């Protein structure tokens, strides 16, 4: 896989570690980042604990160009992501005037006072830029660290998605040259995954910009069912499409040749 | 939160990092571990890459008593979790005879030959114990490392869940004394999350075996909606229940006293 830059996702919140909430934020972000040409190196789920969050921000910054966190941006005592980020960067935490203005405007409109709990959401590391929240209160936080970017988003999915789409995606898209991600999935009925292995091994060697992975889907009417996912990413749109199509064609031909009538092949996408 | 021991979940698979698959395995396991009294320290998603998997197994073993991985146990070229685990432990990889017998029995029954790809699933670090897979092919792997346990499960959810329920849960339950997890959720309509903060802060201080966290659920008919989750874990069943009930009662009384008719409180569980 070729890619624009490395990304790291930090998901902050005890509710994820006690299994109360499934991490749909991470898969949503991972898909967006992949489509933009980034390679997501890790998704790490961290508890609402200062030392843990500081540690994971530092680890992520040591390895990735783009670090995106979700969670811990609200007004309650366990919302400490802004403080942890400042500590991780060794920067002072200050009230960001632009963020304070966003909060003041929002609360004035809704008739709520700007209490200390609400003002807390304007506190950001020195040098940060607030990202307006179109559907909730807490602004996101963007910090440049040398050539890297840290992006801190709320945990409420609708807020996270809105800030990302309106304010983060355009920035990530404009960094470096454009990248193109293409994929195909073919479903094979009648051949056990293990018997596809020699063909998959050869398919994996066709182009290093591509990846090929099989996902067993169980047994359907007593015949094994396997989805094979082919995907590639590169800075050349035409090349990316051609690679994926070439590998798909190779798989279909080889599977037909090897298993003949036994294999029932359907392109899924 | 009081707990039996620390746990670490490693989720292995590119499909999670490109956002094609949501990590439901991790939330399923996290919930099970929490109910058994374990504290899940981290969930880490790792690509299908040898160095990354070896590194994360080693990090997990340095910090947790129980390490559970999912994914990378099948017959295809990217299924390398068994090899990575042996490397991480500095142990030889060998064909486990008990695992080979499980595979032979399964494939004989289904009329498939025991090819090298299938035999690969019997390869385990020296000293490992295979965990029978009641619904698929690849056995799980259990390795004791001093007083710690590494448990390696397949990525297919039905197989992971079946091996965990039949073979892992009884082991985890029997380690140390029993633990009890209790929780309550109350839904508050009409009070913004920020205004609940002073009460939440006091609730958090009632008992260190408990945790209290609010989750904003957005706006319903122009009134804010917040779920407050109270949970505790301890080795005393009666005590655990009492703590949670005491905090729930405190929250309900304080919210009623502070916001009177403005707050509409519903116990959700």
């Amino acid at each position: 896989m070729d890619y624009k830059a490395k990304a790291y996702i930090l998901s902050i919140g005890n509710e994820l570690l006690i299994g109360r909430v499934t991490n749909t934020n991470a898969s949503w972000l991972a898909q967006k980042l992949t489509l933009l040409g980034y390679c997501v190196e890790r998704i790490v789920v961290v508890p609402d604990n200062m030392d843990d969050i500081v540690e994971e921000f530092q680890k992520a910054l040591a390895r990735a160009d783009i670090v995106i966190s979700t969670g811990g941006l609200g007004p309650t005592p366990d919302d400490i992501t802004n403080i942890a980020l400042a500590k991780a960067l060794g920067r002072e935490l200050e009230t960001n005037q632009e963020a304070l203005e966003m909060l003041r405007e929002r609360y004035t409109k809704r008739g709520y006072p700007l209490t200390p709990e609400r003002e807390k959401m304007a506190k950001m590391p020195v040098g940060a830029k607030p990202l307006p929240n179109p559907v909730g209160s807490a602004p996101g936080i963007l910090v440049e660290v040398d050539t890297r970017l840290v992006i801190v988003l709320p945990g409420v999915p609708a807020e996270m998605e809105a800030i990302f789409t309106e304010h983060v995606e355009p920035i990530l898209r404009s960094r470096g040259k454009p990248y193109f991600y293409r994929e195909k999935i073919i479903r094979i009925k009648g051949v056990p995954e293990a018997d596809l292995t020699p063909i998959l091994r050869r398919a994996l060697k066709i182009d290093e910009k591509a990846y090929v992975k099989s996902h067993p889907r169980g047994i359907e009417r007593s015949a094994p069912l396997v989805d094979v996912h082919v995907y590639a990413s590169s800075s050349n749109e035409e090349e990316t499409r051609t690679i994926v199509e070439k590998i798909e064609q190779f798989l279909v031909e080889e599977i037909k040749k090897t298993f003949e009538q036994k294999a029932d092949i359907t392109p899924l996408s």
Side-chain angles (χ1 to χ4, degrees), chain A:
Chain A
M1 294 282 288
D2 191 10
Y3 54 84
K4 199 183 257 210
K6 288 183 184 178
Y8 222 95
I9 297 173
L10 293 188
S11 306
I12 299 163
N14 291 358
E15 65 278 15
L16 298 160
L17 292 167
I18 61 172
R20 175 116 216 133
V21 172
T22 298
N23 199 355
T24 53
N25 278 346
S27 47
W28 189 91
L29 281 171
Q31 187 172 37
K32 288 283 181 181
L33 289 164
T34 302
L35 291 172
L36 289 164
Y38 292 87
C39 169
V40 180
E41 280 245 306
R42 294 282 190 284
I43 296 167
V44 179
V45 184
V46 197
D48 296 305
N49 179 289
M50 188 63 75
D51 291 347
D52 290 298
I53 305 174
V54 171
E55 177 193 340
E56 295 298 341
F57 264 126
Q58 287 176 337
K59 276 192 201 162
L61 272 163
R63 296 180 65 149
D65 306 293
I66 306 289
V67 178
I68 303 190
S69 77
T70 60
L73 273 196
T76 67
D78 47 45
D79 290 312
I80 54 175
T81 304
N82 51 354
I83 310 171
L85 175 62
K87 281 197 184 186
L89 299 177
R91 297 195 191 177
E92 290 293 318
L93 192 74
E94 62 172 11
T95 297
N96 182 293
Q97 291 307 318
E98 208 185 329
L100 191 65
E101 215 30 67
M102 291 174 191
L103 291 166
R104 184 173 289 133
E105 198 190 19
R106 178 173 171 89
Y107 288 120
T108 306
K109 214 182 277 175
R110 305 170 73 85
Y112 290 126
L114 197 56
T115 57
E117 286 78 25
R118 295 195 170 106
E119 279 194 20
K120 188 187 117 183
M121 297 187 274
K123 289 208 194 297
M124 298 183 179
V126 168
K129 234 181 76 80
L131 302 168
N133 186 334
V135 295
S137 306
I141 304 173
L142 177 91
V143 189
E144 283 188 65
V145 183
D146 309 326
T147 60
R148 290 158 294 161
L149 274 191
V150 184
I151 294 148
V152 172
L153 302 174
V156 176
E159 299 183 24
M160 183 280 289
E161 291 171 18
I163 300 177
F164 185 92
T165 306
E166 291 193 20
H167 304 292
V168 180
E169 197 166 344
I171 296 169
L172 296 184
R173 194 182 294 281
S174 69
R175 280 170 80 91
K177 51 187 174 181
Y179 262 74
F180 303 90
Y181 174 88
R182 289 290 176 277
E183 61 183 353
K184 292 266 186 190
I185 297 175
I186 54 174
R187 173 159 288 184
I188 299 130
K189 201 176 146 181
V191 182
E193 194 190 19
D195 295 342
L196 293 171
T197 299
I199 297 171
L200 294 175
R201 204 180 287 279
R202 284 164 60 207
L204 262 170
K205 284 182 187 142
I206 291 176
D207 198 305
E208 60 178 17
K209 294 196 183 80
Y211 199 77
V212 181
K213 186 163 183 178
S214 58
H215 297 283
R217 294 287 177 226
I219 308 287
E220 195 189 69
R221 295 206 195 167
S222 82
L225 205 65
V226 179
D227 288 348
V228 180
H229 187 202
V230 182
Y231 56 95
S233 176
S234 92
S235 57
N236 183 319
E237 190 171 11
E238 178 61 24
E239 182 196 34
T240 315
R241 208 185 45 240
T242 311
I243 291 170
V244 173
E245 282 171 2
K246 189 170 131 193
I247 296 175
E248 186 198 26
Q249 203 184 336
F250 169 84
L251 287 168
V252 171
E253 283 173 6
E254 288 298 311
I255 293 167
K256 277 190 181 158
K257 203 167 75 188
T258 311
F259 301 101
E260 297 177 347
Q261 271 69 42
K262 237 180 81 188
D264 177 2
I265 307 174
T266 323
L268 287 194
S269 70

